[in-house]
Amino acid sequence: KDAPFGVVTFEPHPRAFFAPGAPAFRLMNAEARANRLAKLGVEQLYELRFDGRLAGLDAETFAREVLAGSLGIRHLVAGADFRFGKGRAGDVEMLRRLGPGLGFGVTVAPLICDHIGDYSSTAIRGALSEGRPEDAARILGHWHRIEGTVQHGDKRGRDLGFPTANLWLDGLHLPRFGVYATLVDVLTGPHQGRHGGAASLGVRPTFGGTRPNLEVNLIDFVGDLYGAELSIALVAFQRPELRFDGIGSLVTQMRADVAETRRLLAAAERDG
């Protein structure tokens, strides 16, 4: 069509607008989504602000004023289950009817599944909630990643001989709490590159924590990562989160966790 490859999405997600008190469900924040789409070759990303005005547009008005008018699209590709407009009244059949008169073509992308089930964000959340990052990766086409800025924590890990980089998980769907083998991409700062990491995702019950976070010990790494942007891929679930009676038993388990992470990452690399 001699037109740039673009993606139209909403920010915040409509679900967050209509049910702000519901449990967090996003698989990635807006910045991580933009990074992933750029890697897929997307040239233009349009984040439509989802507010009361946009929510109130009926389906035909949305297609006419937003898609055709404001964005000037030449051709639209939408998933077979795509719904739009007030009350989710619009569907892909409506787009097919409206498109020619508004100056754009329409392609409907069929839903995808395999012998296990549908490929969907719901299935991805289910796999992550059950500690099955491999199944989430099968659907995504890549490891599920959590991205963010390294925050200052309590620095207990450093005192225990396992310094960690800490990321908050606010607004994101929470995978099963526990220890994971991860691949960590340092995106900014002087230590850019990829490292293996043993990560703990949860609330740190041994220390009475309540706010979920992700803290990862980069294996064989020395350096300061505060303020750096990290992208952490969940490769394998090792064990559930535990509460330890003392520091000694915690450190013993952490040594075992790092050894298991090394083994799992080596196996993942060997298997491609």
Side-chain angles (χ1 to χ4, degrees), residues 81-271:
D81 60 350
F82 177 60
R83 310 288 300 199
F84 65 101
K86 185 177 181 179
R88 293 170 52 84
D91 59 13
V92 291
E93 292 306 317
M94 177 181 284
L95 286 172
R96 277 176 164 157
R97 294 195 306 271
L98 294 174
L102 296 174
F104 61 85
V106 175
T107 295
V108 177
L111 303 183
I112 301 173
C113 64
D114 61 14
H115 66 286
I116 297 178
D118 292 337
Y119 282 16
S120 68
S121 57
T122 299
I124 295 167
R125 292 186 194 98
L128 294 173
S129 295
E130 295 170 7
R132 296 184 286 110
E134 300 90 345
D135 287 336
R138 189 188 82 256
I139 301 172
L140 283 165
H142 57 82
W143 298 115
H144 173 65
R145 288 182 170 271
I146 297 172
E147 298 188 7
T149 304
V150 178
Q151 306 292 329
H152 285 275
D154 297 328
K155 300 179 175 58
R156 290 195 181 96
R158 182 179 62 188
D159 295 338
L160 298 175
F162 296 90
T164 59
N166 298 274
L167 272 62
W168 298 126
L169 301 172
D170 299 347
L172 297 179
H173 173 79
L174 295 175
R176 184 182 179 186
F177 286 1
V179 172
Y180 290 81
T182 68
L183 291 173
V184 183
D185 288 318
V186 182
L187 304 178
T188 62
H191 302 293
Q192 293 182 40
R194 173 168 289 188
H195 308 268
S200 175
L201 193 157
V203 296
R204 295 171 293 178
T206 300
F207 301 103
T210 58
R211 182 182 183 182
N213 80 329
L214 177 63
E215 50 183 345
V216 58
N217 171 250
L218 278 64
I219 298 174
D220 300 326
F221 172 82
V222 177
D224 185 348
L225 291 174
Y226 290 119
E229 296 293 320
L230 300 189
S231 177
I232 302 175
L234 304 186
V235 175
F237 180 82
Q238 295 183 203
R239 64 167 177 83
E241 184 173 50
L242 302 172
R243 184 182 184 281
F244 295 88
D245 294 330
I247 297 301
S249 56
L250 171 60
V251 171
T252 298
Q253 182 61 59
M254 292 171 72
R255 293 195 183 104
D257 291 337
V258 170
E260 177 66 0
T261 292
R262 290 182 186 273
R263 186 190 70 79
L264 289 169
L265 291 180
E269 182 178 5
R270 183 178 64 249
D271 297 339

